[in-house]
């Protein structure tokens, strides 16, 4: 009657049969179709990039992303699970650059932008097959056949609409700003990108002597970036702090009084003390002739002391060297004091403009500059120090802070709303709300969205070259109206849009597109509406599927996708675009170390999927530790989790089938009769009902680990107490009322357990359910 149950624990092998069954019977599609019109439950899939191979961390995210929608589907909801692909951006360009043997923007342009972006478009799909296979294999049920793709014209057009709306709200502007800039990629990075690339490094800092022009003394200033010294234009003190002249080894230095000992060491003699305001306006000599020359060219007076409250005495000397091209505070105070602006570093991060180190990369120039200062007697000390410094998250080049023209979304203007909407989101764990995310929002800065690159959503901003008038295009139609002759099916990418011009509505001058693309994080953050080509199509669908009930990604997305979703929906719709967010910890190796190729401790996802199987990996991720904590992943840990739960479950099921088969027991021909139940039957059925209630409540609250641990406790009770104590009840010859009760109890437990565990371990539960229920109940 029942299919014979193999007692081997070859789950992985059996999972392949289940996969084939799902596919052949279109079970996922049916589970969706059957619930059309039911109350909606919406899951947003944070789009992965298919130009990188999936790794073990992606198995974690796919497992977590699957369980909640599966659970909701079983609860009768119409659950949206549209897969998506993140396709634009620097990572893709870098991959193609490598493939074509190009290095940098000049070589890309020589190669040709049209073939280059064509290559990008192909490269995006490099690992698509592997991603699909992996998603399939772990039982990630999502609509992979109709995914949203961020490079498609419709998707881009929705983003244009968004950018125009943001512009109409007065939140889009072009600014000269100090931006974190990758000199290799030749583009600015946004603050959330920068946040991803900090490393602790040792560098040489410099305490520099600036010779006073009006007395025989030196101002001492400390800098961590010696390469900015040639672009120095002034020194900044705090007017309200006490400074002093201090004598050491026959020389006189000016610095903050509180810092004399830490800078000069013991034995310095303090000659006199005065407020910082006494120093304001006093001249000093430029450190280098090239600095003086560059300053003279601007026609402005530089190289004197100014004051601002941002200067503190927590470290350094209490005197700050200002280079307005390379520091945010520097830029602000120098602007306020109308200082000259000099930038002796080019866009590739090399020294330029007539310095003795022209052509050297800034970080290499540090050593040369220190050497020359030392020779000139202007270096007081060059202490090594360790600090956290940002690197390009893609190409690992040290970033520099650099004055660039860039387009920004004015996030600072909506900070209060961002913080309010953040509080409306159910963050799991809750600490993210006021912690990682709250802190980030409290210090939110304007979002630099333009990228001086090629493969991305083109910024739809046209500017008049005569009067500077700005026009933001919000649709293809609008572009075709303003620039007649533009083909309606024009691909919305660089370089095709760049030659399109139209007359300025203010002065008749020529409107030209700002030739930049935008941050690809704007793409993924736009998915709530852009996946539907909203507002051009699907308005009802969008309304039904917004906001998301559930999203989940790894913790590094707090300042990434989670932030951009919130930022964009706040700009456009004045509300958060997701209600519940489960933030996942990182997957580490068994010793708690980060997995890296370098350390050789990377676990290939397929080695576990092929051996232990998908259920086992899923179960491990659900129950090994709370999902937001880092998990110490190893094949052994997966096997252990598998044995404890799935092994016990499977053995109990095999036990039932073995005896039911001997007795030809068909549960559809029997009933669970209360009057015949033994105390053990009543106990396990009561435990079962409590279990259903608990697991349902936990999954409803997205408390996956707690739900899994209830299941584990139950299976232990079932096997160690119920089956062990009741074993002989199945041995008797005749179908007595007691034997019937024992069979029906065990059958009820196994059937219910296979349903309630299905969101966790869908493969094994499918097989059990098909065998014990469907073979008899057709
Ligand atoms: Zn870079
Ligand atoms: Zn104009």
């Amino acid at each position: 009657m029942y299919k014979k149950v193999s007692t081997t624990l070859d789950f992985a092998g059996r999972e392949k049969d289940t996969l084939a069954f799902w596919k052949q019977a279109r079970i996922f599609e049916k589970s969706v179709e059957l619930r059309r019109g039911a109350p909606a439950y919406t899951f947003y899939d944070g789009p992965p990039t298919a130009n990188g191979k999936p790794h073990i961390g992606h198995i974690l995210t796919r497992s977590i992303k699957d369980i909640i929608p599966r659970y909701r589907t079983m609860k009768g909801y119409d659950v949206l699970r549209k897969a998506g692909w993140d396709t634009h951006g620097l990572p893709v360009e870098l991959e193609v650059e490598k493939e074509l043997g190009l290095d940098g923007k000049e070589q890309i342009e020589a190669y040709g932008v049209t073939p280059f972006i064509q290559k990008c478009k192909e490269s995006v799909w490099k690992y698509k097959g592997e991603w699909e296979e992996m998603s399939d294999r772990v039982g990630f049920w999502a609509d992979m056949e109709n995914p949203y793709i961020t490079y498609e014209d419709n998707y881009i057009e929705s983003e244009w609409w968004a950018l125009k709306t943001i512009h109409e709200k007065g939140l889009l502007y072009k600014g000269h700003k100090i931006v974190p800039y990758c000199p290799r990629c030749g583009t600015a990075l946004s603050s959330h990108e920068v946040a991803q690339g900090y490393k602790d490094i040792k560098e040489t800092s410099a305490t520099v002597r600036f010779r006073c022009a009006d007395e025989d003394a030196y101002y001492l200033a400390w800098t961590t970036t010696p390469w900015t010294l040639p672009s120095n234009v002034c020194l900044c003190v705090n007017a309200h702090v006490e400074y002093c002249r201090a004598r050491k080894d026959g020389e006189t230095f000016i610095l903050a009084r509180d810092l004399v000992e830490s800078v000069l060491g013991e034995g310095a003699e303090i000659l006199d003390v005065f407020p910082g305001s006494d120093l304001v306006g006093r001249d000093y000599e430029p450190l280098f002739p090239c600095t003086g020359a560059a300053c003279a060219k601007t026609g402005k007076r530089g190289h004197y002391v100014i004051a601002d409250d941002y200067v503190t005495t927590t470290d350094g000397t209490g005197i700050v060297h200002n280079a307005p091209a390379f520091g945010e505070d520097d830029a602000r105070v120098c602007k306020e004091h109308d200082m000259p602006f000099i930038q002796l570093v080019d866009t590739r991060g090399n020294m330029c403009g007539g310095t003795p180190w022209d052509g050297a990369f800034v970080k290499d120039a540090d050593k040369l500059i220190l050497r020359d200062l030392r020779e000139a007697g202007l270096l007081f000390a060059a202490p090594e120090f360790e600090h956290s410094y940002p690197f390009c998250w893609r190409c690992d080049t040290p970033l520099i802070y650099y004055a660039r023209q860039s387009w920004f979304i004015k996030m600072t203007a909506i900070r209060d709303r961002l913080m309010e909407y953040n509080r409306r989101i159910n963050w799991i764990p809750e600490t993210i709300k006021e912690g990682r995310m709250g802190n980030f929002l409290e210090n939110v800065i304007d979002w630099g969205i333009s990228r001086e690159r090629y493969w991305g959503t083109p910024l739809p901003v046209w500017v008049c070259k005569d009067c500077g008038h700005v026009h933001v295009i919000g649709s293809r139609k609008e572009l075709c109206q303003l620039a007649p002759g533009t083909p309606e099916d024009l691909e919305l990418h660089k370089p095709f849009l760049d030659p399109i011009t139209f007359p300025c509505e203010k002065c008749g001058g020529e409107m030209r597109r700002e030739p930049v693309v935008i941050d690809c994080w704007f793409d993924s953050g736009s998915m709530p509406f852009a996946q539907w080509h909203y507002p051009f199509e699907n308005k009802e669908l969008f309304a039904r599927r917004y906001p998301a009930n559930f999203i989940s990604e790894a913790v590094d997305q707090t300042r990434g996708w989670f932030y951009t979703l919130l930022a964009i929906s706040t700009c456009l719709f004045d509300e958060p675009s997701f209600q519940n967010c489960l933030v996942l910890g990182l997957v580490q190796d068994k010793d708690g170390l980060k997995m890296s190729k370098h350390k050789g401790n990377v676990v290939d996802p397929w080695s576990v999927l092929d051996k232990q199987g998908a259920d086992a990996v899923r179960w491990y991720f659900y129950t090994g530790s709370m999902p937001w904590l880092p998990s110490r992943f190893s094949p052994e840990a997966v096997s252990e989790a598998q044995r404890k739960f799935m092994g016990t479950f499977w053995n109990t099921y095999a036990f039932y089938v073995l005896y039911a088969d001997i007795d030809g027991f068909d549960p559809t021909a029997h009933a669970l009769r209360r009057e015949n139940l033994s105390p053990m039957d009543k106990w396990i059925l009561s435990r079962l009902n409590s279990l259903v209630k608990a697991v349902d409540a936990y999954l409803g609250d997205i408390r996956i680990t707690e739900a899994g641990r209830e299941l584990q406790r139950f299976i232990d009770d079932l096997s160690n107490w119920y089956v062990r104590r009741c074993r002989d009840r199945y041995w008797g010859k005749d179908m007595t009322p007691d034997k019937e009760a024992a069979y029906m109890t065990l059958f009820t437990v196994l059937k219910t357990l296979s349903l309630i565990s299905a969101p966790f371990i869908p493969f094994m539960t499918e097989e059990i359910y098909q065998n014990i229920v469907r073979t008899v109940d057709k």
Side-chain angles (χ1 to χ4, degrees), residues 387-409:
H387 66 158
S388 190
Y389 193 85
F391 286 72
C392 178
W393 66 290
R394 287 314 312 182
C395 78
D396 217 30
T397 301
L399 302 180
I400 58 176
Y401 287 83
Y402 194 81
R404 282 309 266 168
Q405 286 208 333
S406 205
W407 285 85
F408 292 87
I409 300 178

Side-chain angles (χ1 to χ4, degrees), residues 652-674:
T652 309
Y653 152 71
F655 172 86
Y656 165 78
V657 170
L658 178 70
Y659 285 98
D661 224 35
I662 294 172
D663 284 323
F665 178 81
D666 176 357
T668 58
H670 296 268
L672 199 60
R673 273 182 256 278
R674 196 183 169 80

Side-chain angles (χ1 to χ4, degrees), residues 210-213 219 232-235 282-286 303-304:
F210 290 85
R211 197 191 308 271
C212 297
Y219 298 107
N232 166 276
V233 299
C234 61
L235 294 174
R282 293 183 47 186
D283 291 316
Y284 64 91
E285 293 174 8
H303 301 113
Y304 60 93

Side-chain angles (χ1 to χ4, degrees), residues 384-678:
E384 295 259 306
F385 77 113
E386 215 175 297
H387 66 158
S388 190
Y389 193 85
F391 286 72
C392 178
W393 66 290
R394 287 314 312 182
C395 78
D396 217 30
T397 301
L399 302 180
I400 58 176
Y401 287 83
Y402 194 81
R404 282 309 266 168
Q405 286 208 333
S406 205
W407 285 85
F408 292 87
I409 300 178
K410 215 183 214 157
M411 301 313 298
T412 48
I414 57 168
R415 175 171 44 211
D416 292 349
R417 277 186 284 148
L418 286 169
M419 291 178 67
E420 187 197 327
Y421 303 155
N422 173 48
R423 290 196 187 101
R424 287 192 205 162
I425 295 165
N426 175 31
W427 290 100
I428 307 165
E430 218 195 323
T431 46
I432 298 281
K433 182 184 298 209
E434 298 298 336
R436 219 176 154 94
M437 187 53 120
N439 291 337
F440 183 64
L441 294 177
E442 206 168 286
N443 301 304
V444 80
I445 58 170
D446 290 348
W447 182 359
I449 57 158
S450 52
R451 297 285 180 275
E452 294 158 89
R453 298 292 308 190
Y454 309 97
W455 179 237
T457 295
L459 185 75
V461 171
W462 269 255
V463 179
C464 174
K465 72 175 171 49
D466 296 331
C467 76
H469 174 61
V470 170
H471 188 104
V472 180
I473 299 273
S475 68
R476 257 177 295 206
K477 201 168 141 201
E478 185 182 350
L479 181 62
C480 292
Q481 275 164 0
L482 285 169
T486 304
E488 272 179 36
D489 58 351
L490 182 76
E491 180 176 339
L492 302 185
H493 274 123
K494 259 176 101 65
F496 314 112
L497 289 160
D498 295 334
I500 298 178
T501 61
F502 50 86
C504 172
E505 59 185 345
K506 294 267 152 48
C507 75
E510 189 180 66
M511 301 287 288
R512 282 190 195 157
R513 195 180 81 81
E514 290 286 281
V516 293
V517 297
I518 65 170
D519 185 357
C520 60
W521 291 95
F522 192 94
D523 292 354
S524 51
S526 297
M527 66 73 77
F529 54 93
Q531 64 176 324
W532 305 119
H533 193 211
Y534 176 90
F536 306 99
E537 286 180 82
N538 301 318
K539 280 193 172 161
E540 271 170 36
L541 193 52
F542 167 71
R544 179 168 158 79
R545 296 306 189 175
Y546 181 94
N549 299 92
F550 172 65
I551 64 171
S552 180
E553 301 290 339
V555 64
D556 53 2
Q557 295 295 331
T558 313
R559 287 143 196 215
W561 192 55
F562 300 154
Y563 169 66
T564 61
L565 276 177
L566 178 63
I568 295 172
S569 69
T570 301
C571 286
L572 296 176
F573 307 114
D574 241 318
E575 59 177 332
S577 46
F578 54 96
Q579 294 168 336
N580 300 287
C581 180
L582 175 53
V583 183
L584 306 178
L586 300 172
V587 182
Q588 301 173 334
D589 78 355
K590 63 179 192 316
D591 301 317
L593 297 171
K594 199 179 161 185
M595 288 192 194
S596 75
K597 271 190 203 141
H598 178 68
K599 287 191 208 115
N601 59 350
V602 178
V603 177
D604 174 13
W606 289 106
S607 69
V608 226
L609 289 175
D610 287 340
K611 197 152 166 257
Q612 281 97 337
D615 276 346
V617 182
R618 291 171 68 116
W619 183 256
Y620 169 77
F621 279 137
Y622 298 146
T623 57
S625 59
M626 293 294 171
W628 54 88
L629 298 175
S631 47
R632 296 188 168 196
F633 187 88
S634 70
E636 297 74 35
V638 173
S639 293
E640 171 67 11
Q642 179 182 44
R643 191 186 55 72
K644 269 175 65 190
F645 181 69
M646 294 169 56
T648 312
F649 191 170
W650 186 261
N651 287 335
T652 309
Y653 152 71
F655 172 86
Y656 165 78
V657 170
L658 178 70
Y659 285 98
D661 224 35
I662 294 172
D663 284 323
F665 178 81
D666 176 357
T668 58
H670 296 268
L672 199 60
R673 273 182 256 278
R674 196 183 169 80
E675 64 274 20
N676 295 337
L677 297 179
S678 75

